[in-house]
Amino acid sequence: MALPILTDEQRASALAKAVEVRARRSEVKRLLKQGTATLSGVLKDAAEDEALAKMKVASLLEAMPGVGKTRRIQIMERLQISPDRRVRGLGANQRVALEAEFAGA
């Protein structure tokens, strides 16, 4: 399937939207790393925030304090979450299990 031809205005609009989405995700990850935001809160916000809903769970977990690549992989395997899963694609049980995993954090 060929990519659609975009006008300069459409291309500029898409670029501006992409910049906003990356900035929003970066801000959320920074807040998680600082401990200002909680995983539970981010998961709730993702229900209405498209930028967070399309964020990869792996990226979200690695933003948690004390979670690096190795621990993130262990958590995702234990909770049976695909490495490519996005926040919106989490099942109800996976969401509850993730919230329980970081309930004290």
Side-chain angles (χ1 to χ4, degrees), residues 52-94:
L52 297 180
K54 291 185 177 182
M55 186 177 192
K56 288 201 173 193
V57 174
S59 177
L60 186 65
L61 290 180
E62 286 186 19
M64 295 297 295
V67 178
K69 183 177 181 181
T70 303
R71 184 158 179 235
R72 185 256 310 162
I73 291 170
Q74 292 169 347
I75 291 169
M76 291 181 76
E77 284 177 354
R78 187 173 67 251
L79 301 180
Q80 298 179 349
I81 300 172
S82 169
D84 297 325
R85 177 73 58 212
R86 299 200 183 260
V87 173
R88 173 180 285 150
L90 285 172
N93 292 337
Q94 292 172 330

Side-chain angles (χ1 to χ4, degrees), residues 2-52:
L3 294 174
I5 308 284
L6 300 177
T7 66
D8 289 340
E9 294 166 355
Q10 291 171 322
R11 189 173 293 113
S13 174
L15 180 61
K17 182 179 177 184
V19 168
E20 288 175 23
V21 167
R22 284 192 298 268
R24 173 75 174 127
R25 290 178 184 162
S26 176
E27 176 67 13
V28 167
K29 289 193 286 186
R30 185 182 64 77
L31 293 173
L32 281 170
K33 188 64 84 177
Q34 291 176 343
T36 308
T38 63
L39 182 66
S40 179
V42 172
L43 292 176
K44 286 178 183 138
D45 291 347
E48 297 186 15
D49 189 335
E50 194 71 17
L52 297 180

